């Protein structure tokens, strides 16, 4: 009886050891000398304390995450013209400043456990200095989408 448990324990240990992540040179000296900047490079986009190419520009795009019944609350990574512009939490609004002209506002959501991503089709908008443009991310009929809106939604 105990031989079955020993075999099961050994099999579980072998399977779980394959899931562990090891650095290329796994030594305590290299782990201690690792700087916070090196670890931040591999991390996803942070909403605070980062200089963004979308922090200054003559025109404004307001991106909103509209709360709907079919939305699962996933964090959306917003992209403008293929460049990551920041995170958009459920119910959050984000202001992006861009040059005047045509832009593609889209994004993606990471899949479970971060193994991949689901790309959300982008919407084409043309910005000018006369008024800000409003883009809304929503999930309707189990389909995530970005769309241009006349006004920013009220998520209260």
């Amino acid at each position: 009886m105990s031989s079955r448990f020993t075999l099961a324990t050994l099999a579980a240990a072998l399977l779980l050891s394959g899931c562990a992540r090891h650095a290329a040179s796994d030594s305590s000296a290299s782990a201690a000398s690792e700087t916070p900047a090196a670890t931040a490079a591999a991390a996803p986009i942070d909403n605070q304390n980062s200089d963004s190419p979308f922090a200054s520009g003559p025109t404004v795009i307001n991106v909103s995450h509209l709360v709907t019944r079919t939305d699962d609350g996933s964090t959306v990574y917003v992209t403008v013209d293929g460049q990551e512009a920041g995170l958009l939490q459920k119910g959050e609004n984000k202001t992006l400043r861009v040059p005047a002209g045509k832009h593609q506002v889209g994004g993606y959501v990471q899949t479970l456990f971060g193994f991949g991503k689901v790309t959300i089709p982008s919407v084409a908008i043309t910005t000018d200095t006369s008024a800000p443009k409003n883009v809304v991310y929503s999930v309707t009929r189990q389909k995530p989408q970005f769309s241009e809106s006349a006004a920013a939604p009220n998520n209260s």
Side-chain angles (χ1 to χ4, degrees):
M1 179 87 153
S2 66
S3 64
R4 283 193 291 177
F5 293 121
T6 305
L7 183 60
T9 304
L10 181 63
L14 287 173
L15 288 174
L16 291 175
S17 67
C19 296
R21 292 186 178 177
H22 300 284
S25 62
D26 195 13
S27 67
S28 60
S30 67
S33 68
E34 192 172 308
T35 62
T39 57
I45 302 172
D46 189 13
N47 266 347
Q48 294 88 16
N49 301 332
S50 62
D51 291 334
S52 170
F54 305 104
S56 63
T59 61
V60 175
I61 302 173
N62 295 317
V63 184
S64 303
H65 187 157
L66 182 65
V67 179
T68 60
R69 294 177 70 187
T70 55
D71 192 347
D72 66 354
S74 297
T75 300
V76 179
Y77 292 81
V78 178
T79 60
V80 176
D81 299 330
Q83 292 183 334
E84 293 183 349
L87 295 173
L88 192 61
Q89 303 286 341
K90 184 176 182 179
E92 185 180 50
N93 299 326
K94 187 167 196 64
T95 300
L96 305 173
R97 300 188 72 76
V98 295
K102 293 185 178 185
H103 299 283
Q104 296 285 329
V105 178
Y108 64 92
V109 176
Q110 286 189 340
T111 58
L112 189 62
F113 304 121
F115 290 125
K117 62 182 181 180
V118 176
T119 303
I120 302 158
S122 59
V123 61
I125 60 167
T126 303
T127 60
D128 57 11
T129 56
S130 65
K133 293 291 183 171
N134 297 303
V135 175
V136 176
Y137 167 77
S138 62
V139 180
T140 54
R141 296 189 182 112
Q142 301 296 329
K143 181 181 178 193
Q145 65 182 2
F146 283 95
S147 58
E148 190 172 356
S149 173
N154 184 7
N155 281 324
S156 332

